[in-house]
Amino acid sequence: MDKIIGQIIEERLKAKNMEVTEFAKLINRERTNVYNIFKRKSINTELLKKIGQILNYDFFIHFLEPETIEKIKISDVVKESKVFVEIPMNESEIVELGITEKIVKVINQKKNE
């Protein structure tokens, strides 16, 4: 993390155009305490979670290792992927599963391509 967590919180607060006084009330802190938060290198996770909810931002992303971020990105791609599995079946099994019409529809679509 290039910036300290306090700086990131301050940037998000400014991006939301929220006054420090209003923010202080929302996190149940004094205004001077908020300015101290802006200088912090670390922060209590419960407070960070609350701040994130108020500012609608996930600050925890800044604590992830680059490899973890890549895994998350790959995970999102996999969620959108289709997996094709070949399952040998005879006609009675297809009828029993009730997928005869769907199979015929797919075959006809393939013929028309």
Side-chain angles (χ1 to χ4, degrees):
M1 181 167 43
D2 296 332
K3 297 179 184 179
I4 63 172
I5 190 63
Q7 290 174 320
I8 299 168
I9 293 169
E10 184 177 16
E11 288 173 2
R12 295 305 305 168
L13 184 70
K14 288 178 181 178
K16 284 282 190 181
N17 294 318
M18 187 181 290
E19 295 292 326
V20 172
T21 307
E22 177 189 358
F23 179 65
K25 287 177 185 175
L26 292 170
I27 63 170
N28 299 317
R29 301 288 194 282
E30 296 293 323
R31 198 171 67 97
T32 54
N33 188 260
V34 171
Y35 289 108
N36 288 333
I37 289 172
F38 294 159
K39 296 174 189 171
R40 290 187 189 176
K41 292 181 180 178
S42 63
I43 191 168
N44 173 284
T45 55
E46 285 300 315
L47 178 57
L48 188 61
K49 181 179 174 186
K50 185 173 188 174
I51 290 170
Q53 290 168 340
I54 291 166
L55 298 178
N56 194 29
Y57 184 80
D58 183 3
F59 289 97
F60 293 97
I61 193 79
H62 296 281
F63 296 96
L64 296 176
E65 295 295 326
E67 301 82 32
T68 305
I69 293 171
E70 283 304 311
K71 287 178 184 175
I72 291 169
K73 288 178 184 176
I74 291 170
S75 168
D76 288 342
V77 170
V78 171
K79 286 179 190 173
E80 297 173 12
S81 299
K82 292 181 180 179
V83 177
F84 296 95
V85 180
E86 187 175 319
I87 303 171
M89 300 177 94
N90 61 38
E91 188 176 344
S92 64
E93 291 170 322
I94 292 170
V95 171
E96 190 175 311
L97 286 172
I99 57 174
T100 308
E101 290 178 20
K102 187 160 189 129
I103 291 172
V104 170
K105 184 178 177 182
V106 169
I107 290 170
N108 286 333
Q109 285 175 342
K110 292 292 178 189
K111 282 182 184 176
N112 294 331
E113 288 180 357

